Amino acid sequence: MDLHISTAAPTAAERDTIDAAFGLLAPTAADATAGDRPTRSAHAGHAARSRRHLLLPLLHAVHDAAGWLSEGSLNHVARTLQVPPAEVYGVATFYAMFSVEPRAPRVVHVCDDVACGPSGGEEIVAALERDLDGGRACVVRSPCLGLCERAPAVLHQRAGEPDLSQAPATPQAVLAAAHAPADPAGEQAADADRAFADTTVSAPQTRTGEHLRLLRRVGVVDPTSLDDYRARGGYAALRRAVRLGATRVIAELKDASLTGRGGAAFPTGVKWEGVAQSPERPHHLVCNADESEPGTFKDRVLMEGDPFGLVEAMTIAGYVTGATVGHLYIRGEYPLATRRLQDAIAAARARGHLGDDVMGEGFAFDIDLRRGAGAYICGEETALLESIEGYRGEPRNKPPFPATSGLFGKPTAINNVETLYNVLEVLNIGGGAFASVGGGRSTGSKLFCVSGAVGAPGVYEVDFGTTLRELLDLAGGTRGTLRTVLLGGAAGGFVLPQDLDVPLTLEGARDIGATLGSGVVLVFDDRADLTATLRRIAAFFRDESCGQCVPCRVGTVRQEEALARLERGAPLGSRETELALLDDLARVMRDASICGLGQTAPSAVASALDLGLIAAPSHSSNGHGGRR
């Protein structure tokens, strides 16, 4: 195809990096895109469509090496993939972890979100802005890094070196890491991984191991050893799945009433059955490991502490749905989880647990790991598909749904990490036994990410039906006088102290106008500045909106502006006028946005108004079932 490319040329290092990465990735391109969907470019043909999905990995390769994406490097990516340069630039500028402007080779991302900001994040930003050597390293404010139980958190993104996380971080430790000698071999990162892992999986519950199902191997099994995983029951579930056959596995999932743990709670057995029975081929499997909801970190703990569990669960899903390739899309801010999964996939492949004949059972399955690059919207399933295909992560209109027309236009099963780990438990104990825990649509156990004003923040696994009070007691109780709890994350809502005896089920949360969402339980005491918290949540949604639809693109900006004025004590007109505006914005975003981001962006703010955490106008209505 004819490409109109500027005269900017890549450096020799950029060219070599892109060519080497393409050489490794290209052999699988045709297989991964079998059954291409129509491309959006009138100039692109079959060859371009078969390469387009390599765009994000190539951008990662050159950005990892150089620390930014020059015009010359983008031009070379465009030529290599035969993708118009404007589209390459559009993708590159969509993701927060990519820079198309020169910057320091080391970037320190400091979380200033709802958990980390008040817990030392702001102090770290101030210290770095004052003391950091701008030529070698720079500081960037970041939304939630998924390390809320260890707040404050920092991510070091380093050109030519492995990324690493620090949490809990101090200004002195962050400065030391930013100015440490170059680490191209990854020795510092390996040391940091070991130190980080020793504490990140040591929440009190994971140490005791009582009544644990999903977390039973976390902190116990060696996450780098396939043999240790097998010695502790690994791959027994896959063997049972093959013995049962795909149809019976789906029946077990239906008997278990297993619902998705990503927030939508769609029945897993129904989803898998729809893909498995589709006559159109090939089928695809996608694991959504892009958890980016502020306050959420459960999937990270599973992937870091029990990576082979996810590999096995995805293999089962591939076997049942008839997919030969599983696409594991992990958020870019999880360096340790990414390294653990890369090693686990390689180890499983080397031992015949992935490949053309999995464990000698006569079926083929392999896993392709894709790194996100800092876009909360890519947690929405259709935006995630767009990202894998090499486009901007903008949600699609539904229908059609992914089960009929998903990745590359083919039937696709998409599940989040926690859901897939639950499949292992269903196969280990049987669907009926799984359904006996909890009840209704809320069966089995659930992971909750408890952070904020509690004695022992961490990931806690409890049976559905456990009360919020019991969960907080398990997490060491509240610090100070409890004011409110944000349940379900930034897209969730607040509950009051009188709601602590609500059973943590889909139905129980709905009865009090709340949602379990992604499992966030963020606790606020009477010293918390809730107006500032709401403003930060609004800033998060404004920043993460893909901008595709007006209600979300404009509404999130107006919502943040109103909350910023209230925080400053400078309302337009009166406080009541601002609150009425927020109420109106909530209705418009909820009713008219294309996807769940815009629809739920006002949820926490509307919930705070509804509960009187901020004085609400008398006509306020947010559809929360009369919680006033």
Side-chain angles (χ1 to χ4, degrees), residues 3-22:
L3 296 177
H4 301 283
I5 295 177
S6 72
T7 59
T11 65
E14 289 171 338
R15 183 188 302 273
D16 290 346
T17 297
I18 295 167
D19 290 348
F22 181 70

Side-chain angles (χ1 to χ4, degrees), residues 308-379:
F308 288 102
L310 185 56
V311 173
E312 180 184 4
M314 289 184 66
T315 307
I316 293 169
Y319 168 75
V320 173
T321 60
T324 58
V325 177
H327 303 268
L328 172 52
Y329 189 97
I330 185 169
R331 71 176 300 198
E333 295 91 341
Y334 281 177
L336 175 56
T338 299
R339 287 191 279 270
R340 288 276 169 84
L341 284 165
Q342 288 171 333
D343 292 345
I345 291 168
R349 190 178 292 133
R351 295 277 288 274
H353 291 58
L354 292 172
D356 294 334
D357 185 13
V358 175
M359 296 176 66
E361 296 290 356
F363 72 96
F365 184 76
D366 212 330
I367 295 176
D368 173 40
L369 187 145
R370 293 295 177 95
R371 290 161 57 201
Y376 168 74
I377 187 62
C378 289

Side-chain angles (χ1 to χ4, degrees), residues 125-494:
V125 170
L128 296 186
E129 289 177 340
R130 183 181 63 248
D131 300 329
L132 203 60
D133 175 5
R136 180 174 173 80
C138 63
V139 60
V140 173
R141 289 179 175 269
S142 172
C144 183
L145 294 172
L147 299 163
C148 316
E149 84 279 27
R150 298 166 51 83
V154 166
L155 171 69
H156 294 267
Q157 188 180 13
R158 311 185 300 177
E161 307 173 62
D163 296 348
L164 61 88
S165 298
Q166 276 184 304
T170 64
Q172 297 76 18
V174 174
L175 282 167
H179 293 305
D183 181 36
E187 294 179 3
Q188 295 172 26
D191 291 342
D193 286 350
R194 284 189 289 270
F196 182 83
D198 285 343
T199 53
T200 198
V201 297
S202 62
Q205 194 185 14
T206 61
R207 285 199 300 266
T208 62
E210 296 177 0
H211 310 297
L212 296 181
R213 299 176 177 88
L214 307 182
L215 294 175
R216 66 182 179 275
R217 284 187 290 261
V218 174
V220 177
V221 70
D222 178 356
T224 66
S225 170
L226 176 57
D227 288 330
D228 198 18
Y229 176 74
R230 289 180 60 93
R232 298 179 186 275
Y235 282 96
L238 176 58
R239 292 288 193 193
R240 182 162 191 252
V242 174
R243 289 199 307 271
L244 292 174
T247 300
R248 183 56 193 161
V249 171
I250 290 171
E252 290 283 351
L253 294 176
K254 288 183 174 181
D255 290 345
S257 296
L258 174 62
T259 56
R261 301 303 202 242
F266 191 83
T268 304
V270 174
K271 179 184 291 187
W272 286 18
E273 183 177 49
V275 175
Q277 293 182 351
S278 176
E280 190 170 7
R281 298 284 171 167
H283 295 173
H284 291 287
L285 170 72
V286 175
C287 173
N288 185 347
D290 193 50
E291 64 169 1
S292 306
E293 182 90 14
T296 310
F297 47 91
K298 59 186 178 62
D299 292 350
R300 189 207 86 233
V301 169
L302 286 171
M303 293 185 290
E304 289 175 351
D306 189 17
F308 288 102
L310 185 56
V311 173
E312 180 184 4
M314 289 184 66
T315 307
I316 293 169
Y319 168 75
V320 173
T321 60
T324 58
V325 177
H327 303 268
L328 172 52
Y329 189 97
I330 185 169
R331 71 176 300 198
E333 295 91 341
Y334 281 177
L336 175 56
T338 299
R339 287 191 279 270
R340 288 276 169 84
L341 284 165
Q342 288 171 333
D343 292 345
I345 291 168
R349 190 178 292 133
R351 295 277 288 274
H353 291 58
L354 292 172
D356 294 334
D357 185 13
V358 175
M359 296 176 66
E361 296 290 356
F363 72 96
F365 184 76
D366 212 330
I367 295 176
D368 173 40
L369 187 145
R370 293 295 177 95
R371 290 161 57 201
Y376 168 74
I377 187 62
C378 289
E380 196 278 335
E381 60 181 11
T382 61
L384 186 153
L385 298 179
E386 293 287 295
S387 182
I388 292 177
E389 291 183 15
Y391 296 95
R392 291 165 64 89
E394 296 174 345
R396 303 172 184 173
N397 288 318
K398 293 185 286 190
F401 294 94
T404 56
S405 180
L407 191 63
F408 308 115
K410 298 301 181 182
T412 304
I414 305 178
N415 295 106
N416 88 320
V417 171
E418 184 185 352
T419 306
L420 289 167
Y421 278 87
N422 270 284
V423 171
L424 299 178
E425 183 63 13
V426 170
L427 288 168
N428 284 333
I429 66 175
F434 189 93
S436 68
V437 179
R441 296 178 63 237
S442 306
T443 60
S445 60
K446 180 76 183 78
L447 299 181
F448 288 96
C449 313
V450 186
S451 60
V454 292
V459 174
Y460 290 87
E461 180 180 355
V462 296
D463 292 344
F464 267 121
T466 301
T467 67
L468 180 56
R469 186 186 305 277
E470 291 169 335
L471 175 63
L472 295 182
D473 288 343
L474 191 62
T478 58
R479 300 196 311 263
T481 301
L482 177 64
R483 183 178 182 188
T484 186
V485 176
L486 180 60
L487 189 61
F494 291 93

Side-chain angles (χ1 to χ4, degrees), residues 93-114:
T93 55
F94 184 81
Y95 297 96
M97 294 183 73
F98 290 153
S99 174
V100 294
E101 299 292 338
R103 64 180 183 182
R106 291 185 173 184
V107 181
V108 184
H109 298 267
V110 182
C111 179
D112 67 349
D113 221 314
V114 290

